[in-house]
Amino acid sequence: RIPLWDGPPPNGSGGTDTNGQAYVTVHPSPKPQGATVVICPGGGYAMQVTGAEGHGIAEWLNRHGITGVVLEYRLPAGRPEVPLLDARRAIQWARHRAPGWKGDPGKVGIMGFSAGGHLAATASTLLESAPAASPDPVTRASSCPDFAILVYPVISMDALTHAGIRRNLFGDWETPVLVERFSCERQVTRRTPPTFLAHAIDDTGVVIEHSRRYQS
């Protein structure tokens, strides 16, 4: 379990977060085939299910020759940019470190469940170019995933989504601009990576319309 940031992480508004840190745990595959997946557990942006939707998934990926990197992202608590910063950094960190576990830096994807699926989708759609002149080799790596796997993901931030999740993400500062930005189906472009969606038709916790909107 490794701190993701060197020192206090950014807080999404130009300052630093002195009360939180994100962590990554690497599960290298004993027979690596080159791919690495950053895993974002769910939990409604109020907690994180790091067992079943984190380390358990990494162990399953390992059996298929894929290295799993479990991301314990900071919870937003009304700061919607904070988990996204962690997800981008985790992709950069995994891409920079991939050769150390016989991984291909060009095969780094992201996977998420429920609210973690929303985080993975934001990392797949709200893309940023890496600063080539940064002295930090991790920061110079691309934060754009090569592929994504979204499992019963929360996608929209409009009335389709439970108000509790939106409140955890936006706090008391929800605005139409933020709803637009973090409704991932509205941010899909030609740069969005190939994505595998898995969603039960009868899911009542996160209705399948989320995945359908992202696919369409």
Side-chain angles (χ1 to χ4, degrees):
R1 188 168 181 262
I2 305 166
L4 182 59
W5 299 92
D6 298 326
N11 64 6
S13 58
T16 57
D17 185 356
T18 58
N19 297 317
Q21 177 61 273
Y23 297 90
V24 286
T25 302
V26 181
H27 294 256
S29 174
K31 297 180 179 180
Q33 300 298 313
T36 299
V37 174
V38 174
I39 305 165
C40 304
Y45 281 135
M47 54 172 289
Q48 292 175 61
V49 186
T50 56
E53 296 178 351
H55 303 295
I57 295 299
E59 293 170 4
W60 178 80
L61 290 171
N62 285 173
R63 296 197 292 271
H64 297 274
I66 302 168
T67 292
V69 177
V70 179
L71 169 62
E72 296 176 56
Y73 51 91
R74 290 170 292 156
L75 297 174
R79 304 169 303 166
E81 299 290 340
V82 163
L84 177 57
L85 290 169
D86 292 343
R88 287 173 175 161
R89 179 74 176 183
I91 294 168
Q92 292 175 307
W93 186 91
R95 183 163 278 127
H96 174 67
R97 295 289 189 95
W101 52 73
K102 299 181 180 179
D104 183 344
K107 295 182 179 179
V108 178
I110 192 165
M111 180 178 193
F113 299 79
S114 190
H118 179 264
L119 177 55
T122 61
S124 299
T125 55
L126 301 179
L127 303 175
E128 285 191 345
S129 299
S134 173
D136 178 8
V138 175
T139 302
R140 290 198 302 269
S142 172
S143 63
C144 305
D146 297 301
F147 59 90
I149 304 168
L150 308 182
V151 186
Y152 43 87
V154 173
I155 294 295
S156 296
M157 278 295 147
D158 57 18
L160 191 66
T161 298
H162 191 279
I165 293 178
R166 297 201 310 272
R167 183 170 181 81
N168 290 335
L169 187 62
F170 301 132
D172 295 326
W173 302 278
E174 180 178 320
T175 66
V177 172
L178 284 175
V179 170
E180 175 75 17
R181 174 171 169 79
F182 287 94
S183 290
C184 301
E185 79 280 15
R186 304 178 192 177
Q187 306 300 332
V188 174
T189 69
R190 293 180 181 273
R191 295 181 64 202
T192 302
T195 302
F196 178 85
L197 290 152
H199 211 133
I201 292 174
D202 60 352
D203 192 333
T204 58
V206 180
V207 295
I208 196 172
E209 185 63 22
H210 284 277
S211 287
R212 286 174 171 159
R213 287 185 181 184
Y214 197 75
Q215 184 274 334
S216 62

